[in-house]
Amino acid sequence: MSGGDIAGLIAAGVFALLVLLLAVPILKLGGVFDEVRKSIRSISDGATPLMDEVTATVSTTNQQLKKVDGIASNVSDASANISALSSLVAATLGSPLIKVAAFSYGVRTALSTRRKPSTGRRSR
């Protein structure tokens, strides 16, 4: 065995030792990847029922919103009808009531001036 053979043997041994030292972190990294895979699988398994519950909740909420929309449209129709009724009552009774009030005010004024002669007037 020559000196070159011994140096090659030492270099091969150092290289094998280096490979073994690097194999330990690589194996630990493989274990970390396994744990990450298990975590992702458990999250996925837990998310599926949660998604189903959210879907059911959204469906129920949409049904309730449809009912509220129907109620809101009925209230809108009722308020329009009440507005039309109040306009009709104001048009039907408002004008005659104003005329009656004006007439009664005129009659009261005329009667009150007739009963009390004014002191500032002179008769002819």
Side-chain angles (χ1 to χ4, degrees), residues 45-56:
D45 292 343
T48 302
L50 195 61
M51 295 278 201
D52 292 340
E53 289 179 22
V54 168
T55 303

Side-chain angles (χ1 to χ4, degrees), residues 24-104:
V24 172
I26 291 175
L27 289 175
K28 287 185 179 182
L29 186 62
V32 169
F33 284 145
D34 288 340
E35 288 296 322
V36 168
R37 185 170 37 100
K38 288 177 187 177
S39 297
I40 291 173
R41 182 174 291 143
S42 68
I43 289 171
S44 175
D45 292 343
T48 302
L50 195 61
M51 295 278 201
D52 292 340
E53 289 179 22
V54 168
T55 303
T57 302
V58 168
S59 174
T60 305
T61 304
N62 283 339
Q63 290 174 356
Q64 295 299 325
L65 285 176
K66 286 178 185 175
K67 290 178 183 177
V68 169
D69 188 37
I71 292 170
S73 68
N74 290 339
V75 168
S76 175
D77 292 343
S79 66
N81 290 339
I82 289 172
S83 175
L85 181 64
S86 67
S87 297
L88 178 67
V89 167
T92 304
L93 298 178
S95 179
L97 284 177
I98 291 172
K99 289 179 183 177
V100 167
F103 179 75
S104 67

